[in-house]
Amino acid sequence: MSTRPSLEIAVRASAALGEGPTWDAAARRLIWVDILSSRVHTYDPATGRRTTLATEQHVGAAKPRAGGGLVVNLRDGIGTYGADGGFDWLLREAVPGRRGNDAAVAPDGALWAGTMRYDERTGGGTLSRIGADGAHAEFLPEVTVSNGIGWSPDGRLMYYIDTPTRRIDVFDVDDADGPVVAGRRPFAEVEKGAGFPDGLCVDADGAVWVALWDGAAIRRYAPDGTLDRVVELPFPRPTACAFGGADLTDLYLTSARAGLGAFAPPLAGSLLVIAGAGQGLAQPAFAG
């Protein structure tokens, strides 16, 4: 069950809080962020080309837009960058002491975006759905560290992590009369001493891959919630994972140096990749 695969360095970096890897199929590149450095990075594995976009605020996540550009989860709300680089606020909701964290795009093209307190105060964060027109609906009002979000291959299940709970939860999704998400229940739980669940992604088999902060590992849970694979890593704080590459078989991993100080291993903060780790799912772009 436990493996030490061959890790390749996609981008050698010293990200304070690398997060949110996302494969942009239209541009054939990997998007990821360094939250605390207010940077959005891209990486083209075919050419090695890299770009960096500086944002004016801490950026919890960046996702591709259907018409080009990016949607970003910032400290004070949701913003968009056009294909020309121009910035606009889609939803501005500044709350002192709070910032945007992880986000994901649902099969219907809506953005699900989380927030958290800088001091990680219990219940100080939220999870919301933002439509293409900017319509905002708060879904979970009292979470602590809103993190990984993903959907099953058929779109009928939504997975979610509030990190301090140590759980990956699952909801039912009913699209008969618009997206209705309900029935929250535990999918899997990370035992004490194994780290805390952070970002996640779902593969083509419906298995859930979860990065374990302070656990130096990524886990794969089968669709029934049983643990079937543990990928050991040479740094303690992996933050998230996503499948990418032309055939979506390469697993990209972000990581953090924050809080490690002089004890940070050399690869902490870099973007890593495990070639041929599995078969991923194509991710939708934000419809707005």
Side-chain angles (χ1 to χ4, degrees), residues 2-29:
S2 183
T3 63
R4 286 183 177 271
S6 177
L7 276 174
E8 300 175 23
I9 301 171
V11 177
R12 186 179 291 277
S14 298
L17 188 52
E19 263 286 7
T22 302
W23 182 252
D24 181 351
R28 300 180 183 179
R29 63 182 184 175

Side-chain angles (χ1 to χ4, degrees), residues 15-128:
L17 188 52
E19 263 286 7
T22 302
W23 182 252
D24 181 351
R28 300 180 183 179
R29 63 182 184 175
L30 197 285
I31 302 168
W32 60 290
V33 302
D34 183 352
I35 296 177
L36 299 179
S37 296
S38 304
R39 297 287 188 273
V40 178
H41 300 279
T42 71
Y43 167 68
D44 181 340
T47 65
R49 183 174 184 267
R50 296 159 51 184
T51 69
T52 300
L53 169 69
T55 58
E56 293 186 3
Q57 299 181 353
H58 288 163
V59 54
K63 307 296 174 181
R65 299 172 65 195
L70 299 168
V71 60
V72 289
N73 191 17
L74 298 171
R75 184 193 66 204
D76 294 344
I78 307 300
T80 59
Y81 287 94
D84 61 356
F87 176 82
D88 290 295
W89 284 104
L90 184 63
L91 170 69
R92 191 159 191 175
E93 190 181 45
V95 176
R98 196 180 79 175
R99 66 168 175 84
N101 205 43
D102 206 354
V105 179
D108 66 357
L111 182 74
W112 287 72
T115 64
M116 60 175 284
R117 296 272 310 177
Y118 280 97
D119 61 8
E120 299 186 17
R121 189 180 71 197
T122 301
T126 61
L127 176 67
S128 300

